[in-house]
Amino acid sequence: MARGEDLARSVEDVLVLLRSKGGRVTTARRQLLSALFDAPSHVTADDLAAAVQARAPDVHISTIYRNLDELERLGVVVHTHLGHGPATYHLSSASHGHLVCESCGATIEAPPAVFEQLAKEAIERFGFRIDPRHFAVLGRCADCASAGSAGRR
Amino acid sequence: MARGEDLARSVEDVLVLLRSKGGRVTTARRQLLSALFDAPSHVTADDLAAAVQARAPDVHISTIYRNLDELERLGVVVHTHLGHGPATYHLSSASHGHLVCESCGATIEAPPAVFEQLAKEAIERFGFRIDPRHFAVLGRCADCASAGSAGRR
DNA sequence: GTGCTTGCAAACGTTTTGCAGACTC
DNA sequence: GAGTCTGCAAAACGTTTGCAAGCAC
């Protein structure tokens, strides 16, 4: 059960983990990790590519995807589908649920406690173990809700 | 506040609603609605296209998308992003939350009660009004969870 | 040297768009 | 007849893949 998330405290930690699984340490990987550690949460693969390319221009977006995949397999990052649009990625240590406003796109990071009761209900009723990191709860933020029911979508 | 969902009890109801907004009643729309009323929940645009085309072969997938959009604007249908893959649509009257297993893809329809506490927390903490119809909660279903932590992804 | 990783280009599946013609009202 | 809706083709979008060359070990 010991997983990447426990060990991934720094870029170097992850590189060690990677090497221990027979992986190689490359510039692309080092830069991607560095971008992930620096990034605000909710970065898209594209954002990450831009950050990486600022320092290593030749790194291709497909390499970003491949490595994000790899890092996810190691448990170092998770990705989330925020409603429409591209998936967003972040370190699994920065785990949290998301509340995304359908009107204005604002994203609120919700502490796990908010999902606790839901998690409990899901287990009790269906034996279903939710993973609150992996999806977004859509709705209306305070501002948009009070702006009236005007403007659906 | 009176919205499509309240009135949309049958294909004809929706057509009336449509007409009242200056829309026209066409074969494509009639068939799409009929497909929606017949369909199990969680149908993709493609599924709907297939159902419609069984009776009206020339209806193009782009028409399906355009009309689903329109119907969503009217509040008659909602769409949901089930993890990866295509969006799924259903009548908003058939509203419910979704629990989707990341391992096996099983979909559990959860009654609104399951989301009640989450809804309350979100409002209290953030003034955020959740829309539990519009997203999926990912995790592990009972079978996959008990099958051990084997098989991440 | 072995074999994991990469860049590139090309494909993928889903969804959106522009347009001219067809149809509803 | 006015204006909405349609089919079609083509593009957009995010993502994945095959391949040969390149690099870490």
Side-chain angles (χ1 to χ4, degrees):
Chain A
M1 201 79 225
R3 285 216 163 273
E5 50 248 55
D6 313 317
L7 314 163
R9 280 187 253 289
S10 72
V11 173
E12 290 309 317
D13 284 349
V14 181
L15 292 178
V16 166
L17 177 66
L18 241 164
R19 225 179 323 230
S20 80
K21 303 274 184 183
R24 271 110 206 239
V25 174
T26 65
T27 312
R29 285 181 176 171
R30 205 184 285 274
Q31 293 299 340
L32 173 57
L33 283 167
S34 154
L36 275 166
F37 274 91
D38 284 354
S41 18
H42 313 130
V43 272
T44 63
D46 223 56
D47 295 338
L48 289 167
V52 168
Q53 284 160 1
R55 300 179 160 205
D58 294 345
V59 173
H60 199 268
I61 183 86
S62 67
T63 300
I64 302 287
Y65 277 110
R66 276 191 279 232
N67 282 325
L68 284 171
D69 237 53
E70 182 71 30
L71 290 173
E72 195 150 16
R73 222 169 296 127
L74 291 174
V76 174
V77 310
V78 271
H79 80 274
T80 305
H81 292 274
L82 257 41
H84 307 177
T88 63
Y89 296 80
H90 56 73
L91 295 169
S92 54
S93 52
S95 212
H96 53 257
H98 307 102
L99 306 176
V100 180
C101 179
E102 295 176 286
S103 275
C104 68
T107 300
I108 298 168
E109 303 189 1
V114 173
F115 297 96
E116 227 161 62
Q117 189 62 29
L118 170 62
K120 211 167 123 190
E121 292 255 19
I123 282 275
E124 277 171 16
R125 295 192 188 217
F126 308 109
F128 190 94
R129 202 162 141 273
I130 74 163
D131 173 6
R133 306 172 313 203
H134 198 141
F135 65 92
V137 174
L138 298 190
R140 299 258 155 169
C141 72
D143 290 350
C144 294
S146 68
S149 3
R152 184 172 270 251
R153 166 161 254 195
Chain B
M1 201 88 223
R3 288 217 162 272
E5 51 248 55
D6 313 318
L7 313 162
R9 280 188 253 290
S10 72
V11 172
E12 290 310 318
D13 284 347
V14 181
L15 292 178
V16 167
L17 176 66
L18 241 164
R19 226 178 323 233
S20 79
K21 304 274 182 183
R24 271 103 206 249
V25 174
T26 64
T27 314
R29 287 181 173 173
R30 206 185 286 275
Q31 292 300 339
L32 174 57
L33 282 167
S34 154
L36 275 166
F37 274 90
D38 284 354
S41 20
H42 313 130
V43 273
T44 64
D46 221 57
D47 295 337
L48 289 167
V52 169
Q53 284 161 0
R55 299 177 160 206
D58 293 346
V59 173
H60 200 267
I61 182 86
S62 66
T63 300
I64 302 288
Y65 278 109
R66 277 192 278 233
N67 282 326
L68 284 171
D69 238 53
E70 182 70 31
L71 290 173
E72 194 150 17
R73 223 169 296 129
L74 290 174
V76 174
V77 310
V78 270
H79 80 274
T80 305
H81 292 274
L82 259 41
H84 308 177
T88 63
Y89 297 79
H90 55 73
L91 295 168
S92 54
S93 53
S95 211
H96 54 257
H98 307 102
L99 305 176
V100 179
C101 180
E102 294 176 285
S103 275
C104 69
T107 300
I108 298 167
E109 302 188 3
V114 172
F115 297 95
E116 228 161 61
Q117 189 62 30
L118 171 61
K120 214 168 121 192
E121 292 253 20
I123 282 275
E124 278 171 15
R125 296 193 188 217
F126 309 108
F128 190 94
R129 202 161 140 274
I130 75 164
D131 174 6
R133 306 172 312 205
H134 198 141
F135 66 93
V137 174
L138 298 190
R140 301 255 157 170
C141 72
D143 289 350
C144 293
S146 68
S149 1
R152 183 173 270 253
R153 164 158 256 192

